[in-house]
Amino acid sequence: MCGVVGAVLRDQPALEGILDGLRVLEYRGYDSAGVAVALSEGVAVRRRAGRIEALSEALQDGALSDARCGVGHTRWATHGPPNELNAHPHSDHSGRIALVHNGIVENHQELRRELIEGGVEFRSDTDTEVIVHLVARELERLDGEGLSPSLADGVRAALQFVEGYYAIAVLRTGPEPELVAAKQGPPLCVCVTDDGAWIASDVLALLPHGKQVVFLEDGDVARLSPGHCEVARPDGAAVERAAVEIQWRAEDAGMAGFDHHMQKEIHEQPAVLGRTVSERVGEGDAALGSGWTDEDLGGVERVQVLGCGTALHAGLVAQFLIEGLAGVPVDSDYASEFRYRAPRLVPGTLALAISQSGETADTLAALKLAEELGCRTGAICNVQGSSLVRAADSVLLTDAGPEIGVASTKAFTAQVAGAYLAAVRLGRAKGALSEVEADAHLAALRGLRGQLEQLLSDEAVAKVREVARSNQDAKGFLFLGRGVNYPVALEGALKLKEISYVHAEGYPAGEMKHGPIALIEPGMSVLVVNSQGGVADKVRSNLEQVKARGGRVIVVGSDEESLALADEAIHVPASSEWVSPILNVVPLQLFAYEIGLLKGCDIDKPRNLAKSVTVE
Ligand code: M6R
């Protein structure tokens, strides 16, 4: 959740690069920020509550500008309110060591008590502060034993006491400043250049420095110096970690003239779909990526989909697609629930995790559990080199490019497109689809690019804006959908909640009369997703039931009869029912965006949220 950056450079100042890295990582957490640099007299720390720009202003005096080694942090608070004292970096009492952390120290209370008994005075409410004092204590102990410990020795010794999850960057002043990073759980990656070395919690912050990136593994402790990165395991044994060439470009993370990342990412969807689909589709089949062989797929008897939030909504669409096209039974679970129940998985189950970031803690843990239970594992993921990509046996990398807006948009359409390709491929491998049928399904997917462009034309966007204006004061919103579009209703409601903070419920349309219908009265807006297909007339009946009770009905889809019945209609081009979620979700994303704007919300950094949920 938090963003971590660190740098040690041969003969250049590090601060500006660290601040630039924090700006890129601000989407990971944005309640406070700080930096520490190594000066000859000790570490110098500056922290501020609020956004990076507040920190940047606090650094205008230039006192920290010349240092060659530093660490930085942008926080999403877990322990202690988001104020200056709790902001990272935290430093030890000698003023020589500073540390930034993403994660949770689960035994921090016990460690805090132990350190207080040893004479340490704490200055924050954070769990993190215990780590820096442990490092200082262990360095002192090792020194007392005459071992002249390096910072890496102290960090390794300290981490033996820490239970929980961490990605940390630690610096120590001295004649040569030392920079060390370690991870257990949340991601950390390193980019070594000729005259420096950079560490960050996200490749995006490393791209301005180089494309060759080393992803640290759990238990790794890395010692960075200009031009070098030495990695050791907890026992001190050296280990080689190969660099991966990252495909993204630094400029992909920019705004490209749009007002918000979310807006830009919604508008990128035609191109994303084109990229994700075109290179994979061949004669009557689809290439998914590494580790998907016909033999493996032929042995799949059941699929267990795992994910969180928007990714699980894509997973629910995947459930319809895999069952409908490949004839393979599918279960879908919130990863956070799956990992704490006692799942019974039949032999031949493929555990399929879906995640934009590939770093969601619950999704990773759920996939690991499925693997322990004997499943083959697969992933649909957007981030090359991420923990999920490294953990799964087979990986389909969606080609959505960096998604910075906290509300996931283009990742969803890419995930659904990926799931569709997987369903067709599985259908072919299982003999459920002939080559001709597979071709027809793939053609339907390929045809979507032009339709997505229509949905994002000025005229179509203006129509959604008009509908948003006329509904901005609604008491609440209900989103209804059925079949393959039921998850789209869930996604529409989630987008609206997170971006505009208004209450919205997503529901399967047929379930409405079992409870939510009690909410319907004048002033309640009901968005009904209905496209041509097997359940269109059923959804139309549900729609009539809403109208009969005075609800305001907005229809999104291609079912003309429903559109004619609506108080307001958002037309979506007609398509095969199976691919319709990819189209229907777009007006719902735009609707959330427009309502958020009308309400003056912070579109790309909605309150309390963070892009990548790397803690439980
Ligand atoms: O990175 P992931 O796809 O694993 O993230 C899962 C969810 O945290 C994410 O989709 C979240 O629900 C988004 N904020 C939704 O817009």
Side-chain angles (χ1 to χ4, degrees):
M1 325 247 336
C2 307
V4 167
V5 189
V8 53
L9 306 180
R10 203 184 310 279
D11 41 33
Q12 281 165 279
L15 185 66
E16 266 316 306
I18 290 172
L19 280 175
D20 287 345
L22 290 181
R23 287 187 187 101
V24 173
L25 294 188
E26 202 175 14
Y27 75 138
R28 294 184 74 103
Y30 32 84
D31 60 42
S32 52
V35 291
V37 295
L39 300 178
S40 50
E41 63 273 23
V43 289
V45 180
R46 290 276 165 88
R47 305 178 292 185
R48 285 295 178 271
R51 301 284 164 89
I52 307 291
E53 284 323 307
L55 174 68
S56 176
E57 275 167 35
L59 291 162
Q60 292 301 321
D61 62 9
L64 279 57
S65 299
D66 294 335
R68 293 183 297 107
C69 178
V71 292
H73 190 262
T74 173
R75 180 171 187 243
W76 185 86
T78 60
H79 296 70
N83 55 29
E84 194 170 318
L85 279 184
N86 290 328
H88 301 206
H90 294 284
S91 47
D92 77 321
H93 285 284
S94 74
R96 293 187 57 219
I97 304 167
L99 175 144
V100 291
H101 168 222
N102 173 28
I104 290 180
V105 179
E106 286 172 348
N107 59 340
H108 72 102
Q109 278 164 332
E110 186 189 321
L111 292 172
R112 182 181 273 254
R113 268 194 303 275
E114 193 184 305
L115 286 158
I116 289 172
E117 277 163 23
V120 171
E121 278 177 33
F122 277 79
R123 296 177 285 213
S124 77
D125 307 318
T126 64
D127 54 334
T128 300
E129 195 183 342
V130 299
I131 315 181
V132 75
H133 296 307
L134 281 175
V135 172
R137 183 188 79 183
E138 292 304 300
L139 281 168
E140 209 174 308
R141 179 182 64 76
L142 292 167
D143 204 31
E145 291 170 15
L147 294 172
S148 308
S150 67
L151 178 61
D153 295 329
V155 168
R156 255 196 318 274
L159 291 178
Q160 287 173 19
F161 299 95
V162 175
E163 288 166 19
Y165 307 93
Y166 50 80
I168 56 172
V170 196
L171 71 78
R172 177 165 76 164
T173 54
E176 272 309 310
E178 292 168 276
L179 178 62
V180 167
K183 98 162 206 105
Q184 183 66 44
L188 265 186
C189 40
V190 178
C191 177
V192 175
T193 61
D194 289 345
D195 53 2
W198 294 82
I199 182 96
S201 46
D202 193 319
V203 283
L204 280 178
L206 298 180
L207 289 178
H209 312 293
K211 290 198 146 197
Q212 295 291 330
V213 169
V214 170
F215 291 89
L216 298 184
E217 299 285 346
D218 284 350
D220 284 354
V221 176
R223 192 174 176 171
L224 282 76
S225 55
H228 299 282
C229 171
E230 292 159 28
V231 185
R233 300 298 297 156
D235 62 3
V239 65
E240 284 295 320
R241 297 275 174 239
V244 173
E245 178 162 344
I246 301 299
Q247 303 302 327
W248 290 349
R249 300 166 308 160
E251 54 272 31
D252 294 340
M255 214 94 95
F258 286 91
D259 295 333
H260 299 98
H261 285 288
M262 181 185 181
Q263 186 193 27
K264 175 193 166 218
E265 289 158 7
I266 291 172
H267 281 266
E268 280 179 313
Q269 291 176 108
V272 165
L273 185 98
R275 285 201 301 268
T276 301
V277 174
S278 62
E279 281 164 27
R280 299 173 195 273
V281 172
E283 287 295 299
D285 215 339
L288 304 181
S290 63
W292 303 91
T293 65
D294 278 339
E295 198 190 341
D296 294 332
L297 290 170
V300 173
E301 299 300 336
R302 207 171 177 95
V303 176
Q304 172 66 59
V305 171
L306 301 164
C308 300
T310 290
L312 182 69
H313 296 158
L316 291 170
V317 179
Q319 175 163 11
F320 283 91
L321 297 176
I322 296 170
E323 289 187 340
L325 303 184
V328 173
V330 184
D331 298 298
S332 303
D333 273 271
Y334 291 110
S336 54
E337 286 297 317
F338 179 86
R339 63 183 291 196
Y340 289 116
R341 64 180 173 84
R344 298 283 173 252
L345 301 172
V346 296
T349 299
L350 168 73
L352 180 63
I354 304 184
S355 171
Q356 187 286 127
S357 62
E359 301 297 350
T360 301
D362 284 321
T363 306
L364 290 168
L367 193 76
K368 186 160 176 258
L369 173 61
E371 188 173 32
E372 284 162 11
L373 293 171
C375 291
R376 184 178 168 74
T377 58
I380 297 181
C381 186
N382 193 42
V383 180
Q384 204 192 351
S386 60
S387 304
L388 183 61
V389 165
R390 285 177 288 136
D393 299 325
S394 320
V395 177
L396 190 160
L397 263 182
T398 52
D399 217 336
E403 190 179 65
I404 312 281
V406 167
S408 187
T409 54
K410 62 176 178 172
F412 175 83
T413 46
Q415 286 158 353
V416 174
Y420 190 92
L421 294 171
V424 171
R425 178 78 193 277
L426 191 55
R428 289 289 287 136
K430 299 290 292 180
L433 290 178
S434 68
E435 188 176 330
V436 173
E437 287 166 327
D439 256 340
H441 286 303
L442 294 171
L445 187 62
R446 260 196 311 245
L448 292 184
R449 182 171 182 162
Q451 295 179 318
L452 283 170
E453 278 160 3
Q454 280 177 47
L455 284 169
L456 292 164
S457 65
D458 291 349
E459 196 189 343
V461 172
K463 175 66 194 174
V464 177
R465 187 172 302 130
E466 178 193 313
V467 176
R469 281 207 186 107
S470 58
N471 288 277
Q472 60 178 311
D473 297 321
K475 290 185 200 160
F477 291 84
L478 197 56
F479 287 71
L480 301 176
R482 218 163 165 155
V484 74
N485 279 299
Y486 141 59
V488 174
L490 299 184
E491 178 58 8
L494 176 64
K495 284 293 86 85
L496 189 58
K497 272 185 273 214
E498 64 182 335
I499 294 306
S500 68
Y501 319 144
V502 292
H503 187 71
E505 291 256 16
Y507 238 82
E511 271 293 300
M512 185 191 57
K513 55 190 169 300
H514 299 286
I517 200 164
L519 294 169
I520 310 269
E521 58 175 339
M524 182 79 170
S525 292
V526 183
L527 284 97
V528 180
V529 184
N530 200 14
S531 276
Q532 294 165 6
V535 289
D537 52 346
K538 305 284 175 208
V539 178
R540 220 175 295 133
S541 311
N542 301 137
L543 181 167
E544 301 263 26
Q545 292 154 7
V546 174
K547 274 187 80 93
R549 285 158 183 86
R552 184 177 183 80
V553 175
I554 303 142
V555 172
V556 176
S558 63
D559 180 60
E560 291 299 336
E561 285 182 58
S562 303
L563 289 158
L565 287 169
D567 294 300
E568 286 167 291
I570 300 179
H571 290 257
V572 171
S575 67
S576 130
E577 188 177 9
W578 296 118
V579 294
S580 62
I582 294 180
L583 299 175
N584 288 335
V585 77
V586 174
L588 302 187
Q589 297 167 343
L590 288 168
F591 183 75
Y593 175 75
E594 294 293 340
I595 297 263
L597 279 185
L598 289 165
K599 293 194 176 293
C601 299
D602 190 341
I603 300 287
D604 284 331
K605 297 188 180 69
R607 71 180 177 213
N608 304 335
L609 289 169
K611 182 68 181 163
S612 180
V613 185
T614 55
V615 296
E616 276 197 67

